[in-house]
Amino acid sequence: MSAVRIRRTQAERRPGRLRRAAGRLRGWGGVSAMAAACAMTAAAVLLPLARSAPGPEHHPGVVREPASMAAAPFTLADTCPDPEASLRPSALDGPTIERIRRAGKLVAGVDQNSFKWGYRNPDGHLDGFDIDLVKAIAKDILGNEEAVIYRAIPTSQRIPALQEGRVDIVVRTMTINCKRLEDVAFSTAYFEAGQQVLAPKGSPITGYDASLKGRRICTAAGSTAEAALKAQGYGSVPVSVPNQLDCLVRLQLGEVDGIITDNALAAGQAAQDPSVQLVGAPFTREFYGVAMNKDASDLVRRVNKVLENYRAGGDQSPWATSYRKHFEDVLPKAAVPPAPKYREG
């Protein structure tokens, strides 16, 4: 985990700055969420992975339209053909499905601090676009959308959580790419996004360009944003933190000058905090998928079957219903789910 040294003078000013930040953190579950944010900033740790997980037998296993990405100055290149292509859907039960049924619960790695995606409502319940999808998967496999054990995991722990058998699936705004396919399996894509810069209004930062020079730019460890900044930093000072929400808190405290993250995530944060905004154009085109253990091919096929049904029905599909519920005032109203790609094997 990478932490940023905060000078003594900054630490002495922090209590007052945290109070100001508290007034700007809206929609994160009230006092409990602000307490989590404060702890995160003080200790540089957010939401450690829960230990009470399945045993060893678990292993079997309103943003810019995408067209604006054509003007992007930089694009991360994948090294494999069609990384979004996944196994064809199937309702057949296999060893992973049977194990989940014996356990009676689907163990899902999620976020609980990403507004609109995976976050705690004031009543303490998890909500968001990703949470809706987890419930759909649980209902298909177990007949009950509430038959889920949620594990809150940092961005950097998404792959280890699957490899070590601590979760069955990860549904956490996780971009499908060739590097990750070496370690985990993915479903077909369920959402399209792009990397973009989030900065305070009035900032001299104009986008993912030379205006980043000398600026402290925050990314989540293990994210595609971090990889992009390492490949082309434009003279910026990179700041890596365990979770993307860490970046928002640091931006509100004045400890960083900007954030690079998925624009779909950043749009929700901009909706919460009117003092920040997305700047410039998205500079990547990325697709979110449900991540699973590489050995769990039966689960991959089953999740792809769920996604086929989830997308079906046009404006009345479960996908569209969830999109309207969470993103109607934040993202383009005419959005549609990405078309699935399949491969043999």
Side-chain angles (χ1 to χ4, degrees):
M1 178 178 66
S2 174
V4 178
R5 288 190 178 277
I6 307 300
R7 292 175 301 186
R8 180 177 177 84
T9 54
Q10 290 178 312
E12 291 167 348
R13 292 196 298 267
R14 180 168 290 160
R17 295 162 73 183
L18 279 171
R19 286 194 294 271
R20 292 194 294 274
R24 296 160 63 185
L25 280 168
R26 304 184 179 92
W28 296 99
V31 175
S32 62
M34 188 57 210
C38 294
M40 169 184 57
T41 305
V45 176
L46 178 67
L47 296 174
L49 187 66
R51 296 292 182 185
S52 54
E57 74 279 6
H58 189 82
H59 262 299
V62 180
V63 299
R64 296 174 185 267
E65 298 289 350
S68 66
M69 296 180 188
F74 172 78
T75 301
L76 285 174
D78 260 320
T79 57
C80 60
D82 287 330
E84 295 86 26
S86 185
L87 296 174
R88 293 193 177 277
S90 172
L92 295 177
D93 293 345
T96 312
I97 299 295
E98 290 174 357
R99 178 188 51 72
I100 292 170
R101 286 210 175 117
R102 287 196 303 271
K105 296 284 186 179
L106 176 72
V107 185
V110 299
D111 198 352
Q112 67 174 22
N113 290 289
S114 290
F115 189 48
K116 302 293 188 179
W117 289 95
Y119 66 102
R120 290 201 176 274
N121 275 326
D123 63 5
H125 288 89
L126 282 171
D127 198 3
F129 191 84
D130 281 347
I131 305 303
D132 288 350
L133 180 53
V134 170
K135 290 180 177 180
I137 296 169
K139 185 174 183 179
D140 184 89
I141 296 174
L142 297 166
N144 179 6
E145 68 175 22
E146 300 300 329
V148 182
I149 296 174
Y150 293 101
R151 300 292 186 219
I153 55 177
T155 305
S156 59
Q157 284 296 304
R158 292 177 297 189
I159 289 176
L162 287 166
Q163 292 177 321
E164 296 166 12
R166 292 179 280 177
V167 297
D168 297 314
I169 60 174
V170 168
V171 187
R172 197 187 181 287
T173 58
M174 190 168 178
T175 300
I176 305 167
N177 62 35
C178 296
K179 178 62 177 174
R180 289 172 178 168
L181 282 169
E182 296 175 3
D183 300 313
V184 298
F186 279 100
S187 69
T188 55
Y190 68 86
F191 201 91
E192 180 178 347
Q195 294 295 317
Q196 200 166 350
V197 179
L198 185 72
K201 290 181 179 177
S203 167
I205 296 174
T206 57
Y208 188 65
D209 54 33
S211 66
L212 298 180
K213 186 174 182 180
R215 308 291 175 184
R216 298 160 297 176
I217 303 300
C218 190
T219 61
S223 67
T224 50
E226 183 184 50
L229 199 63
K230 286 180 179 177
Q232 173 59 279
Y234 289 105
S236 62
V237 179
V239 177
S240 179
V241 296
N243 253 310
Q244 205 277 328
L245 180 61
D246 281 328
C247 285
L248 180 62
V249 174
R250 287 177 184 268
L251 184 67
Q252 291 172 323
L253 294 175
E255 294 174 359
V256 298
D257 303 303
I259 300 169
I260 295 178
T261 188
D262 299 355
N263 53 9
L265 281 170
Q269 294 172 357
Q272 289 178 286
D273 187 344
S275 71
V276 300
Q277 64 181 354
L278 286 162
V279 295
F283 58 92
T284 64
R285 188 179 186 189
E286 302 184 17
F287 297 89
Y288 298 159
V290 178
M292 290 154 278
N293 190 284
K294 283 180 73 72
D295 295 330
S297 59
D298 60 324
L299 181 57
V300 174
R301 292 182 186 276
R302 190 57 169 264
V303 169
N304 283 340
K305 173 187 171 292
V306 174
L307 285 171
E308 286 279 293
N309 297 329
Y310 204 67
R311 299 182 191 98
D315 289 343
Q316 301 307 312
S317 69
W319 190 97
T321 300
S322 182
Y323 186 94
R324 285 193 297 271
K325 173 185 174 184
H326 299 292
F327 301 128
E328 189 167 31
D329 299 327
V330 182
L331 295 171
K333 289 181 170 52
V336 295
K341 294 181 180 180
Y342 295 113
R343 60 178 173 82
E344 301 304 327

